[in-house]
Amino acid sequence: MDARVAPLSAPLKATSPALLEVAVLEYPGSLRAAAPVLSELAQRCNRTAAAGRRSGARMLVTRWTLSPRGMHRVAGAELFGDTPPAIVVVPGNEPSWPLPPQDERMLAWVRDCHDGGSVLAGCDEGGLVLAASGVLAGRTVSLPDISRCPSLASTVASWAQGDRALVDDGDLLTAAGADAWKYLSLRLLARVYGQSVMAEAIQQLQLVIPRAVQDDLERFSPNFAHGDRGILKAQRWLHTIAARGVTLQDICESAGLEPRTLQRRFLKATGLRPIEYCQRLRIAKAQLLLQAGGIVDEVSWTVGYSDQSAFRRLFLRIVGITPSRYRRQIIAQSRVGRSRAPAPADLAEPLRSAA
């Protein structure tokens, strides 16, 4: 079974659910509760999906560690063999542990998984591990202070630090700060099971999610787990430049494919035509800019639309409301959030109670 063929944002068209491997990378000092918490969330969502007769993929959490023979699964090899995990999650450190220099064999494995089509997800110091592996170049990310990783102290950052607690850039997810593990875990649930199952998990666990984070959890999530390397190459290039000012020929050149071949394979791999994919990427970027306080006209131009009316129509079609109304809602929600300032819920505690 090739775990990479399981779509991350749409239900599978299959008679039985496919298993999708989500690998938690365990390194010296990494958060010990990461794999158990994510596994409990997966089991909860698997039951929810089964009860609702949903036909999408089912998440199976595995643990990976470094041994003298290299990287290996602690268990689960009989299910997935040599196939790279669909998702590789790198958790943060235990609070009392400094982040040690990472073994080059582990960093090479992270790069190989990414090249093989794996989605990478880094939480807190785990994001710095991804940075050390070199996969964050040209990307917008959410990372903790680089001083948490002394081996990166002399490195010139090749990435852009975002202003969000959670940044989902398609094949790279990063989260840092308070509740980072909670937000990253929920976003993974949305990517694997869809928005409705994630929302049900939030309700069951009685989690408090700020409105701005909720928007990030529900943002456009393209499929990177299709196994088509030519299309994967094009997707990564589009995410690097936020699909701004590109033509079909540009995408063809990035993938090394002829137009007809590209369009056929792109639709098969992602469920979207190239132009639709670019539109969704641009609108997702526009949402982030509006959440950051951007003016509608300036945001329209920044994401590549000089025609304000065209931008407005497209935003309305994809998001469901106009960009002006979206901006007003964000401002109002921000004011309400500051006045209420609820205490954050602990993700692990409800899971411990349910176990």
Side-chain angles (χ1 to χ4, degrees), residues 99 131 211 234:
L99 183 64
R211 181 64 254 179

Side-chain angles (χ1 to χ4, degrees), residues 195-320:
Q195 303 294 342
S196 61
V197 173
M198 179 201 68
E200 195 161 339
I202 291 174
Q203 183 177 17
Q204 290 174 0
L205 296 171
Q206 299 181 347
L207 301 178
V208 177
I209 308 296
R211 181 64 254 179
V213 175
Q214 188 74 40
D215 289 340
D216 291 335
L217 292 175
E218 296 173 352
R219 202 174 310 283
F220 169 58
S221 56
N223 175 27
F224 276 82
H226 44 68
D228 188 324
R229 293 203 172 194
I231 301 305
L232 181 65
K233 185 178 178 181
Q235 286 179 272
R236 287 178 174 165
W237 176 70
L238 287 171
H239 280 261
T240 300
I241 63 169
R244 191 181 190 280
V246 300
T247 65
L248 179 62
Q249 186 58 40
D250 293 332
I251 304 174
C252 290
E253 291 176 1
S254 71
L257 299 171
E258 295 296 322
R260 289 184 63 181
T261 303
L262 174 96
Q263 295 195 73
R264 173 177 53 80
R265 285 170 55 177
F266 204 102
L267 178 61
K268 180 180 179 182
T270 69
L272 296 168
R273 294 178 174 82
I275 185 62
E276 295 171 333
Y277 191 95
C278 291
Q279 288 172 343
R280 287 182 173 270
L281 271 185
R282 291 176 183 174
I283 295 303
K285 176 67 173 179
Q287 288 178 273
L288 285 175
L289 293 173
L290 291 170
Q291 289 175 11
I295 305 302
V296 173
D297 290 352
E298 295 176 356
V299 168
S300 173
W301 182 87
T302 300
V303 299
Y305 292 97
S306 57
D307 186 337
Q308 304 294 325
S309 61
F311 170 70
R312 181 183 180 278
R313 289 194 300 270
L314 184 62
F315 195 100
L316 176 61
R317 177 164 63 82
I318 291 176
V319 181

Side-chain angles (χ1 to χ4, degrees), residues 9-286:
S9 56
L12 295 175
K13 296 179 180 178
T15 55
S16 59
L19 284 178
L20 188 149
E21 182 182 11
V22 178
V24 175
L25 176 57
E26 296 183 340
Y27 57 89
S30 63
L31 195 64
R32 291 188 294 270
V37 167
L38 193 57
S39 182
E40 173 61 25
L41 276 174
Q43 293 174 33
R44 181 182 293 271
C45 290
N46 287 341
R47 292 192 294 269
T48 298
R53 300 185 181 276
R54 294 176 173 89
S55 58
R58 301 291 189 265
M59 180 192 295
L60 179 63
V61 176
T62 59
R63 296 162 51 219
W64 283 73
T65 188
L66 181 64
S67 72
R69 295 177 297 172
M71 296 297 300
H72 71 280
R73 295 181 184 90
V74 173
E78 69 281 3
L79 294 174
F80 299 106
D82 296 329
T83 302
I87 302 173
V88 174
V89 182
V90 189
N93 263 22
E94 289 286 348
S96 59
W97 284 66
L99 183 64
Q102 302 304 313
D103 192 295
E104 178 55 35
R105 292 172 297 171
M106 186 182 78
L107 300 180
W109 178 79
V110 169
R111 291 192 294 270
D112 290 343
C113 287
H114 195 227
D115 290 341
S118 300
V119 171
L120 304 182
C123 182
D124 287 325
E125 291 84 3
L128 297 177
V129 173
L130 296 183
S133 73
V135 299
L136 301 185
R139 309 301 284 272
T140 298
V141 296
S142 178
L143 297 182
D145 192 327
I146 199 171
S147 64
R148 290 285 298 137
C149 184
S151 62
L152 288 175
S154 61
T155 301
V156 177
S158 59
W159 55 87
Q161 180 70 34
D163 59 357
R164 317 291 296 176
L166 169 68
V167 176
D168 184 339
D169 199 26
D171 61 329
L172 288 170
L173 286 77
T174 49
D179 294 326
W181 182 246
K182 174 170 69 175
Y183 300 152
L184 185 67
S185 298
L186 291 173
R187 181 57 175 169
L188 291 174
L189 297 184
R191 292 286 296 263
V192 175
Y193 299 97
Q195 303 294 342
S196 61
V197 173
M198 179 201 68
E200 195 161 339
I202 291 174
Q203 183 177 17
Q204 290 174 0
L205 296 171
Q206 299 181 347
L207 301 178
V208 177
I209 308 296
R211 181 64 254 179
V213 175
Q214 188 74 40
D215 289 340
D216 291 335
L217 292 175
E218 296 173 352
R219 202 174 310 283
F220 169 58
S221 56
N223 175 27
F224 276 82
H226 44 68
D228 188 324
R229 293 203 172 194
I231 301 305
L232 181 65
K233 185 178 178 181
Q235 286 179 272
R236 287 178 174 165
W237 176 70
L238 287 171
H239 280 261
T240 300
I241 63 169
R244 191 181 190 280
V246 300
T247 65
L248 179 62
Q249 186 58 40
D250 293 332
I251 304 174
C252 290
E253 291 176 1
S254 71
L257 299 171
E258 295 296 322
R260 289 184 63 181
T261 303
L262 174 96
Q263 295 195 73
R264 173 177 53 80
R265 285 170 55 177
F266 204 102
L267 178 61
K268 180 180 179 182
T270 69
L272 296 168
R273 294 178 174 82
I275 185 62
E276 295 171 333
Y277 191 95
C278 291
Q279 288 172 343
R280 287 182 173 270
L281 271 185
R282 291 176 183 174
I283 295 303
K285 176 67 173 179

